[in-house]
Amino acid sequence: MTEKPIITRVFTSVQQIAATAWDALLALQATPTPFMRHAYLAAMQDSGSAVRDTGWDAHFITLWDTGPQGEQLVAACPLYLKAHSWGEYVFDMAWARAYHEHGLAYYPKAVVAVPFTPVPGSRLLAASDALRVQLVQTVQDWCAAQQLSSAHVLFGDAADHAALQQVGWMARAGVQFHWQNRSSPLSMAPHAPPAPPAEAACNPTSGPYADFDDFLAQLQQAKRKKIRQERQRVAQAGVQFQVLAGRQIRAADWDFFYRCYAQTYHEHGNPPYLSRDFFARMAQDLPGHWVLFVAARGGQRMACSLIAVSADATPGPDDRHGEAGAADALADPALPAPTAALHGATAYGRYWGALERVDCLHFEACYYQPLQWCIQHGLAAFEGGAQGEHKMARALLPVATASYHWLAHPAFADAVERFLEREGEGVAHYLQELQAHSPLRHSAG
């Protein structure tokens, strides 16, 4: 009996692949995120945010099962030919310099990632583990045929890592800071599911935080005092917050958000990575996956932060409040969650901006308001993004992440492998040091 052949196709736009097929494959993965949705990747391209002119030349590597039922998408990943290393959050500029010093071209390179989005999750979409390994080999063979210097899979999950290890790619350790709803011990495994806290096993009442004060009660006294002082400074400055969830965010709200977002980039001397059109597409194609925290003083909006959520955050029809008053009602912790789908979901800190400077406003907008909202609505986790030891003081604890790398040049591959071994030992020690400085009153482990 002849096996059904698997064929490879490479597309230059995700729009050339049916959204239903792509998203159905994503739904099979262990750790899907909204950022690997067809609509999100399409918006990156179609808005001009991640395109060849900005250094992100998109290709989509796909495997198709050609059975009697017709062709079926069985494996896929986004791959970008990069002319630089910006917007990746896994830093390889030293590797590029080393290539240049030896008269070799490091760029273009291949990156399997979501542009500008350092959120761990499934990157190598596959219907089985065997097909995921085949996808990795296909990516490597394609990169070799294109005579690329290297290929890099960034912020994948455990299933991705297993496939990459099997093909022989090199692992690189990293660290991010995540908050858990009733925090778990520090994890040394790259993006492993969090283990329950040690005290939870013997304390049946140990569950999600009841409210923000319950969360603060788990922190060391000095950390608890500092957070209360920071929040008080913002309140004493006359700043109040309005929360808009999902489809409550209107075009005028998106406009205000983008004004703040762009200004913050310009203040740092850089143009914003993402265009206004990108967010317009999010409002149209993934409207339920966003929550906007808007700060106002004296009746005038002056700052905001935007987070993404893994479930639809739009208030449901059974809530006590109607749509007209929903924004104000959401800020009231006495009211019910917008939708039961949020229970156990994950929130992702993404973007912020301010038109005025207020002491501690960044912490309030980007951490305390989102954490209060997550606790109120039963979310399981809040991921704070790349880097930032300062997040530990807000009880975002360090977790290990990993990227995987293939270099075509044998001598450089050997040198990088030795470097990664030394760097990995340093990251392991760094995590241990961070664990010793946990902000929790009863540090697990």
Side-chain angles (χ1 to χ4, degrees):
M1 185 174 179
T2 304
E3 289 189 8
K4 296 177 289 186
I6 300 293
I7 63 172
T8 301
R9 288 199 175 95
V10 181
F11 301 97
T12 56
S13 170
V14 74
Q15 298 285 31
Q16 296 169 302
I17 307 166
T20 52
W22 181 279
D23 289 342
L25 189 60
L26 175 62
L28 298 176
Q29 310 312 304
T31 52
T33 70
F35 312 107
M36 281 289 289
R37 291 278 299 275
H38 187 280
Y40 191 89
L41 297 172
M44 282 285 175
Q45 277 189 285
D46 296 343
S47 69
S49 298
V51 293
R52 183 180 299 176
D53 288 347
T54 62
W56 296 80
D57 189 3
H59 295 72
F60 295 85
I61 312 297
T62 63
L63 302 182
W64 299 79
D65 187 333
T66 58
Q69 304 300 320
E71 293 185 356
Q72 293 186 333
L73 182 67
V74 293
C77 66
L79 180 148
Y80 297 87
L81 300 185
K82 290 295 302 298
H84 51 67
S85 292
W86 302 110
E88 299 172 15
Y89 304 93
V90 175
F91 303 105
D92 62 348
M93 285 78 159
W95 303 359
R97 286 194 298 270
Y99 266 68
H100 179 73
E101 289 169 359
H102 287 79
L104 300 173
Y106 188 68
Y107 303 109
K109 64 176 184 177
V111 174
V112 176
V114 180
F116 319 118
T117 310
V119 174
S122 301
R123 295 289 182 268
L124 304 168
L125 312 185
S128 69
D129 291 340
L131 285 166
R132 188 172 292 105
V133 171
Q134 186 172 344
L135 179 62
V136 174
Q137 190 64 59
T138 300
V139 167
Q140 181 174 313
D141 292 345
W142 186 85
C143 291
Q146 300 296 316
Q147 298 184 323
L148 302 179
S149 70
S150 55
H152 314 263
V153 176
L154 310 182
F155 300 106
D157 67 3
D160 296 338
H161 300 164
L164 292 156
Q165 290 168 5
Q166 187 167 335
V167 181
W169 288 39
M170 298 178 290
R172 186 178 191 183
V175 178
Q176 287 190 354
F177 295 84
H178 299 175
W179 174 86
Q180 301 288 336
N181 198 345
R182 194 68 64 173
S183 298
S184 61
L186 301 182
S187 171
M188 294 295 290
H191 202 56
E199 62 269 22
C202 58
N203 182 4
T205 64
S206 180
Y209 296 118
D211 51 33
F212 197 82
D213 284 339
D214 185 26
F215 158 60
L216 288 181
Q218 306 306 309
L219 303 182
Q220 296 173 11
Q221 193 274 340
K223 304 296 184 186
R224 186 164 62 247
K225 180 179 178 181
K226 182 178 178 62
I227 290 174
R228 284 178 172 151
Q229 288 175 338
E230 290 175 343
R231 301 201 78 183
Q232 187 175 25
R233 287 176 193 163
V234 176
Q236 289 176 341
V239 178
Q240 296 180 322
F241 276 84
Q242 179 188 42
V243 184
L244 300 170
R247 292 171 179 81
Q248 292 177 331
I249 309 174
R250 305 303 186 190
D253 304 316
W254 284 108
D255 287 340
F256 175 74
F257 155 75
Y258 197 79
R259 181 185 170 196
C260 296
Y261 164 77
Q263 170 141 336
T264 297
Y265 268 88
H266 290 313
E267 286 176 355
H268 289 85
N270 299 307
Y273 280 143
L274 302 175
S275 69
R276 175 64 182 89
D277 184 52
F278 170 81
F279 292 104
R281 294 172 186 274
M282 288 297 94
Q284 176 178 319
D285 299 330
L286 291 176
H289 288 278
W290 301 97
V291 180
L292 185 65
F293 301 86
V294 182
R297 182 162 62 171
Q300 296 296 317
R301 292 180 165 192
M302 39 79 72
C304 61
S305 68
L306 182 72
I307 68 171
V309 289
S310 60
D312 193 329
T314 306
D318 296 332
D319 292 340
R320 296 210 313 257
H321 50 75
E323 184 170 323
D328 293 331
L330 281 172
D332 181 357
L335 290 175
T339 170
L342 284 175
H343 289 279
T346 299
Y348 313 92
R350 302 309 311 132
Y351 315 106
W352 111 287
L355 306 181
E356 299 179 29
R357 295 186 181 276
V358 172
D359 190 24
C360 298
L361 179 59
H362 174 262
F363 298 139
E364 180 69 25
C366 296
Y367 301 114
Y368 305 144
Q369 286 288 325
L371 289 181
Q372 181 170 298
W373 186 86
C374 287
I375 292 169
Q376 176 188 346
H377 300 308
L379 277 75
F382 175 77
E383 298 188 7
Q387 290 87 47
E389 288 183 16
H390 66 277
K391 296 170 184 172
M392 275 196 71
R394 283 89 200 165
L396 277 73
L397 301 184
V399 297
T401 61
S403 56
Y404 277 76
H405 309 269
W406 169 81
L407 278 72
H409 196 289
F412 271 95
D414 289 343
V416 166
E417 185 171 26
R418 292 193 296 271
F419 163 76
L420 292 178
E421 289 176 358
R422 296 191 301 271
E423 184 186 52
E425 293 174 356
V427 171
H429 290 143
Y430 174 59
L431 278 168
Q432 291 174 355
E433 182 180 348
L434 290 173
Q435 184 174 12
H437 294 86
S438 170
L440 301 179
R441 284 195 298 113
H442 302 290
S443 180

